């Protein structure tokens, strides 16, 4: 949770594919005193024709431990790729 600790005084903008998981995470972080905004679903951004940058996925790229912990705390560990 180093990232979260270092950024406690900043607004965190969250998003995910549909907006559901980012909403869950936003609620948890808000209860912990973080300033958060749920930007919603990336799929809506993309379907609106807004700019998107493609990133080539590296098979060795791992999900940050903070996100793994957040998903396990919320019971969403099956969402970990």
């Amino acid at each position: 949770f180093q990232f979260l600790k270092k950024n406690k005084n900043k607004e965190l903008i969250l998003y995910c594919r549909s907006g559901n998981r980012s909403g869950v995470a936003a609620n948890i972080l808000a209860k912990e005193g973080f300033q958060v905004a749920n930007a919603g679903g990336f799929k809506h951004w993309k379907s609106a024709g807004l700019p998107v940058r493609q990133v080539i996925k590296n098979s060795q790229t791992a999900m940050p431990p903070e996100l793994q912990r957040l998903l396990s705390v919320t019971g969403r560990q099956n969402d970990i790729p």
Side-chain angles (χ1 to χ4, degrees), residues 3-20:
F3 173 82
L4 294 175
K5 287 179 184 178
K6 289 190 321 189
N7 293 287
K8 181 85 175 187
N9 297 322
K10 296 181 182 178
E11 181 178 29
L12 303 174
I13 301 172
L14 308 176
Y15 70 94
C16 68
R17 186 189 62 80
S18 68
N20 184 43

Side-chain angles (χ1 to χ4, degrees), residues 31-72:
K31 288 178 184 175
E32 294 295 322
F34 288 89
Q35 294 179 9
V36 293
N38 181 10
F42 182 74
K43 68 181 183 179
H44 301 295
W45 175 278
K46 190 174 180 180
S47 68
L50 296 166
V52 176
R53 180 177 65 165
Q54 284 293 119
V55 177
I56 298 171
K57 185 175 181 180
N58 180 345
S59 63
Q60 295 181 2
T61 302
M63 182 179 294
E66 294 89 358
L67 184 53
Q68 290 178 11
R69 171 98 171 104
L70 181 61
L71 289 174
S72 67

